Amino acid sequence: MTLTRREMLKLGLAGSAAIALPVRRMVRADDGPGRISESRLPEPFTVPFAALQVLAPSRVDATTDYYSITQRPATAQIIPGFDTPVWGYNGLVPGPTIEAQQGRRVVVRMANALPATHPTLGYLPSTSTHLHGAPSRPQYDGYANDLTLPGQWKDYVYNDVPNGRTIWYHDHAVHHTAPNVYMGLAGMYLVRDPLEQGLAIPQGRYDVPLMIQDALFASDGSLLFDDDDESGLMGDVILVNGRPWPVMRVERRKYRFRILIASLSRSYRLALDTGDPLTVIATDGGLMAAPQPVTRLPASTAERYEVIIDFAKYPIGRRVVLRNLSNKNNVDYPDTDKVMAFDVVDEPSSTEGNSIPSVLDPNNPVMALDPALAVARRSMKLDRGGGQWTISDVIWDDIVASRFRKVFANPQLNDVEIWTLQNSSGGWFHPLHLHLVDFKILDRNGKPPRAHERGPKDTVYLGENETIRVIARFGPHRGRYLVHCHNVVHEDHDMMTQYEVGTGGDDPITSAPAVWGTPPAP
Ligand code: C2O
Ligand code: CU
Ligand code: CU
């Protein structure tokens, strides 16, 4: 007799380790090689930093930029001397960066050319692509069950990011998001707007995206997926833009770094070894009202922070290290306290955009949301029960079983609501993410939000035994949207639910289904 874990839950067989065991066995059953010995890993700060590749549009017309992306297997050189099998958007890991201009429509023709099974986990890699940080219509939002199978393709239409921001696209397939993203299905997407482009902040080559991840490697150089009984994957190697602990050569001036935490589970507390501040200028949803210098920057999966670091105060020859002081409930290894290094090598070749204006974006409508506008208040409890990660006692399989009718909340279009997010699962932090909307953090454990999180957000770090209140205006689309923990191992098992804005919105699964065949040029 084989029971699904859902059936075991119903029979009350949950609650013991028995539930977690099959997955552990699945991970290990593959007789694959064990972990790579530490001596084969590179010394931190020996591998040169690399900027992310930018994707050129396949075609541009008066209103729209068209892109073609194929998800396919490839080989990456990550650990020097080893080949690592990966799945990349156009074979690249991290995926190529899309640079968009606010107000222009973007269409991404996304094809799934992955093999029929994952190399060690054996599942069929259907995919669903989410543009995290964009208010997309339901059928283009990467709904977990809106699947594109190997051999299928689908157009994603993105037309309405309201302002400049650092966002990212990544896989969101039901129950397989963690291994799909781990294999490489994540990339950055920058939206620029005139306000941000008009500020004297670092631009061009001084505006540098940093995608931070962690990974475990097997002795043959392949990625080792060990999610520790569905708790999370904590790698011993820190990657920045796909390189282990890289070192970047910088000039004596200000740089803007667009930091994206794209780890499956690990959270970070970033700090400079000089004790100097990182000046946060933008959060998930774009520019803050005013810059916030912080000496420690806690950040969990999917959060984005744009920070300015001023290297002008260091002499040529100085090395500045971006460290990770970690947080409670991570698993740390000897070198996970380091992220990357900056070697100050030159005087500035340009001093344009070399300042931090005291006013950035004072008019973001999300930051103007007042609790008095709220027409509903709801609370959401994140917990672990019956061997599953739950949101107010619901798991995604409950939503599936309801034929996607069950919803956590049903705000009407443009309603303002306050949601209280509560982490009751001692021993874990949960980066909680709402699709569709940006929110403002009202308070954290009854106190004002921390300096670095006083900007528009879509993902919030919900630490052990914490309670956070957020406020959002629910729009601009009607329809069903995901809410989940962005520790993607939790998300897969099964800490995800949905809410519906209004009624009669487009169906996320049936409105724009994937089609079979080789996609024509867009
Ligand atoms: Cu970045 Cu629903 O995810
Ligand atoms: Cu999202
Ligand atoms: Cu979680």
Side-chain angles (χ1 to χ4, degrees), residues 130-134 141 168 170 172 302 304 433-437 458-459 482 484 486:
H130 175 51
L131 181 57
H132 181 136
D141 195 46
W168 62 308
H170 65 78
H172 217 303
R304 288 91 65 208
H433 171 47
L434 271 66
H435 283 220
L436 185 67
V437 296
D458 58 44
T459 305
L482 304 174
H484 59 91
H486 221 297

Coordinates of all heavy atoms in Angstrom, one line a residue, residues 130-134 141 168 170 172 302 304 433-437 458-459 482 484 486, ligand 2:
H130 N 7.3 32.7 -12.5 CA 6.8 33.8 -11.7 C 7.7 35.0 -11.8 O 8.9 34.9 -11.6 CB 6.6 33.4 -10.2 CG 6.2 34.6 -9.3 ND1 5.1 35.4 -9.6 CD2 6.7 35.0 -8.2 CE1 5.0 36.2 -8.6 NE2 5.9 36.1 -7.8
L131 N 7.2 36.2 -12.2 CA 8.0 37.4 -12.1 C 7.7 38.1 -10.8 O 6.7 38.7 -10.6 CB 7.6 38.3 -13.3 CG 8.4 39.7 -13.3 CD1 9.9 39.4 -13.4 CD2 7.9 40.5 -14.5
H132 N 8.6 37.8 -9.8 CA 8.4 38.1 -8.4 C 8.6 39.7 -8.2 O 9.7 40.1 -8.4 CB 9.4 37.3 -7.6 CG 9.3 37.6 -6.1 ND1 9.3 36.6 -5.2 CD2 9.2 38.7 -5.4 CE1 9.1 37.1 -4.0 NE2 9.1 38.4 -4.1
G133 N 7.6 40.4 -7.9 CA 7.7 41.8 -7.7 C 6.9 42.6 -8.7 O 6.9 43.8 -8.7
A134 N 6.2 41.9 -9.6 CA 5.4 42.5 -10.6 C 4.0 42.2 -10.4 O 3.6 41.0 -10.1 CB 5.9 42.1 -12.0
D141 N 1.2 35.0 -13.9 CA 1.8 35.2 -12.6 C 2.6 34.0 -12.1 O 3.1 34.0 -10.9 CB 0.8 35.7 -11.6 CG 1.5 36.3 -10.3 OD1 2.4 37.1 -10.5 OD2 1.1 35.9 -9.2
W168 N 12.7 39.8 -9.9 CA 13.4 38.6 -10.4 C 12.3 37.6 -10.9 O 11.2 37.7 -10.5 CB 14.3 38.0 -9.4 CG 13.7 37.5 -8.1 CD1 12.9 38.1 -7.2 CD2 14.0 36.2 -7.5 NE1 12.7 37.4 -6.1 CE2 13.3 36.2 -6.3 CE3 14.7 35.1 -7.9 CZ2 13.3 35.0 -5.4 CZ3 14.8 34.0 -7.0 CH2 14.0 34.0 -5.8
H170 N 11.6 33.5 -11.5 CA 12.0 32.2 -11.0 C 10.9 31.1 -11.2 O 9.8 31.5 -11.4 CB 12.5 32.2 -9.6 CG 11.5 32.6 -8.6 ND1 10.6 31.6 -8.1 CD2 11.2 33.7 -7.9 CE1 9.8 32.2 -7.2 NE2 10.1 33.5 -7.1
H172 N 8.2 28.3 -10.3 CA 7.2 28.3 -9.2 C 6.3 27.0 -9.3 O 5.2 27.0 -8.9 CB 6.3 29.5 -9.3 CG 5.9 30.1 -8.0 ND1 5.2 29.4 -7.0 CD2 6.1 31.3 -7.5 CE1 5.0 30.2 -6.0 NE2 5.5 31.3 -6.3
A302 N 14.3 36.0 -1.4 CA 13.4 36.8 -2.2 C 13.4 38.3 -1.9 O 12.8 39.1 -2.7 CB 12.0 36.3 -2.2
R304 N 14.8 42.0 -1.8 CA 15.7 42.8 -2.6 C 16.0 44.1 -1.8 O 15.1 44.7 -1.3 CB 15.2 43.1 -4.0 CG 15.2 42.0 -4.9 CD 13.9 41.2 -4.9 NE 12.8 42.0 -5.4 CZ 11.5 41.9 -5.0 NH1 11.2 40.9 -4.1 NH2 10.6 42.6 -5.5
H433 N 5.7 35.9 1.6 CA 5.5 36.7 0.4 C 4.1 36.7 -0.1 O 3.4 35.7 -0.2 CB 6.4 36.0 -0.7 CG 6.2 36.6 -2.1 ND1 6.2 37.9 -2.3 CD2 6.1 36.0 -3.3 CE1 6.0 38.1 -3.6 NE2 5.9 37.0 -4.2
L434 N 3.6 37.9 -0.5 CA 2.3 38.1 -1.1 C 2.6 38.4 -2.6 O 3.3 39.3 -2.9 CB 1.5 39.2 -0.5 CG 0.6 39.0 0.7 CD1 1.4 38.6 1.9 CD2 -0.2 40.2 0.9
H435 N 1.9 37.6 -3.5 CA 1.9 37.9 -4.9 C 1.0 39.2 -5.1 O 0.2 39.6 -4.2 CB 1.4 36.8 -5.7 CG 2.4 35.7 -5.9 ND1 2.6 35.0 -7.1 CD2 3.3 35.1 -5.0 CE1 3.5 34.1 -7.0 NE2 4.0 34.1 -5.7
L436 N 1.2 39.8 -6.3 CA 0.4 40.9 -6.8 C 0.7 42.3 -6.2 O 0.8 43.2 -6.9 CB -1.1 40.6 -6.7 CG -2.0 41.7 -7.3 CD1 -1.9 41.7 -8.8 CD2 -3.5 41.4 -7.0
V437 N 0.8 42.3 -4.8 CA 0.8 43.6 -4.2 C 2.1 44.0 -3.6 O 2.9 43.1 -3.3 CB -0.3 43.7 -3.1 CG1 -1.7 43.6 -3.7 CG2 -0.1 42.7 -2.0
D458 N 7.4 43.2 -0.7 CA 6.5 42.1 -1.0 C 6.8 40.9 -0.3 O 6.1 39.9 -0.4 CB 6.4 41.9 -2.5 CG 7.8 41.6 -3.2 OD1 8.5 40.8 -2.6 OD2 8.0 42.1 -4.3
T459 N 7.9 40.9 0.4 CA 8.4 39.7 1.2 C 8.9 40.2 2.5 O 9.7 41.2 2.6 CB 9.5 39.0 0.5 OG1 9.0 38.6 -0.8 CG2 9.9 37.7 1.2
L482 N -1.1 33.8 -5.2 CA -0.5 33.0 -4.2 C 0.0 33.9 -3.0 O 0.3 35.0 -3.1 CB 0.7 32.3 -4.8 CG 0.4 31.4 -6.0 CD1 1.7 30.9 -6.6 CD2 -0.5 30.3 -5.6
H484 N 2.7 32.7 0.2 CA 3.5 31.6 0.7 C 4.8 32.0 1.4 O 5.2 33.1 1.4 CB 3.9 30.7 -0.5 CG 4.7 31.3 -1.6 ND1 6.1 31.3 -1.5 CD2 4.3 32.0 -2.7 CE1 6.5 31.9 -2.6 NE2 5.5 32.4 -3.3
H486 N 8.6 31.9 1.5 CA 9.6 31.9 0.4 C 10.9 31.1 0.8 O 11.8 31.1 0.0 CB 10.0 33.3 -0.1 CG 10.1 33.4 -1.6 ND1 11.1 32.7 -2.3 CD2 9.4 34.0 -2.5 CE1 10.9 32.9 -3.5 NE2 9.9 33.8 -3.7
Ligands
CU2 CU 6.0 36.9 -6.1

